[in-house]
Amino acid sequence: DEFEISVRSHLLELIEQLLSVQSDRNNVDEDDDAALTTLLQYLKDVSLLCLHISITTNSTTNTTAIKKLPFLLIEDTIDSLPLKLIQRVWSSSAHPSLCISSYILSNNNNNQTTLLTSPQLFIPTSKFVLLRICNKLLRLLSNTNRDANFAGEIMMLLAQVFPLSERSAMNVLGGFNVGNVLRVEG
């Protein structure tokens, strides 16, 4: 799909700009902040565009790719950035309304308002991509032992987005670690 190729190639250009600003150590943080803001705004704008297209289009064949696109963009972003920048993109205190976690699930006036988890975009293929993103991040964090708070944010997001009855959260086969013995001191 030409739209997907265009959007993803522009995203990679924005990521390249952010990484080049990061690699230039003589640079001022304002340039870094501007590149990060541009990237976050682009991700949010594309997500809003995909939501609009999926609401206004009746065809199911073309909208499946559109509905999955925001999640693929987030995955591309996470695959392309180092951990330090992933944390800033995921939950940035400088840009609370633009960070990824704010538009996957956010609270406004005690009402649950969502962009990416709206029924128009959060279809089974999108759920798998979000689950893959979160598992990738948790795997990356487990290898580094750097930030337990960030890992906790990701797990809280998964707990809020996926219901307890979700098949991926259940032990369908019933396999347990019977070799693990708990000894209680008395």
Side-chain angles (χ1 to χ4, degrees):
D1 183 43
E2 291 178 34
F3 177 69
E4 181 180 346
I5 292 169
S6 168
V7 167
R8 288 177 100 171
S9 63
H10 185 66
L11 174 74
L12 293 176
E13 289 172 12
L14 292 174
I15 290 171
E16 186 179 342
Q17 287 175 355
L18 179 62
L19 290 174
S20 69
V21 168
Q22 281 286 313
S23 66
D24 185 13
R25 297 292 177 206
N26 299 328
N27 210 347
V28 183
D29 285 338
E30 293 173 3
D31 292 340
D32 174 38
D33 196 44
L36 182 65
T37 303
T38 304
L39 175 67
L40 291 172
Q41 187 64 51
Y42 181 74
L43 285 170
K44 191 161 191 172
D45 289 345
V46 169
S47 299
L48 286 168
L49 178 63
C50 290
L51 179 63
H52 177 73
I53 291 171
S54 68
I55 290 172
T56 57
T57 306
N58 292 332
S59 172
T60 57
T61 55
N62 291 339
T63 57
T64 302
I66 296 292
K67 291 176 181 181
K68 198 167 104 173
L69 183 60
F71 296 96
L72 292 174
L73 294 177
I74 293 170
E75 186 176 35
D76 289 346
T77 303
I78 288 171
D79 287 343
S80 304
L81 294 177
L83 183 61
K84 178 183 169 187
L85 281 175
I86 291 172
Q87 289 176 319
R88 289 182 61 196
V89 166
W90 189 268
S91 56
S92 172
S93 58
H95 310 288
S97 64
L98 290 178
C99 64
I100 292 172
S101 63
S102 74
Y103 60 93
I104 290 179
L105 187 64
S106 63
N107 282 325
N108 284 337
N109 301 329
N110 295 327
N111 292 329
Q112 206 74 343
T113 58
T114 57
L115 172 60
L116 291 181
T117 56
S118 67
Q120 291 84 10
L121 290 180
F122 206 54
I123 58 174
T125 54
S126 301
K127 289 179 183 182
F128 292 133
V129 176
L130 180 61
L131 195 59
R132 192 169 61 223
I133 291 167
C134 292
N135 283 337
K136 224 180 263 186
L137 285 172
L138 290 171
R139 198 174 314 112
L140 180 66
L141 287 168
S142 72
N143 290 339
T144 60
N145 286 333
R146 284 195 210 173
D147 197 357
N149 288 336
F150 185 46
E153 283 181 37
I154 295 166
M155 286 189 253
M156 289 296 293
L157 176 103
L158 286 171
Q160 290 174 336
V161 171
F162 292 103
L164 289 175
S165 61
E166 181 71 28
R167 190 174 190 276
S168 64
M170 298 172 68
N171 187 0
V172 180
L173 299 176
F176 295 99
N177 182 5
V178 293
N180 188 8
V181 177
L182 177 66
R183 295 192 179 113
V184 181
E185 295 179 12

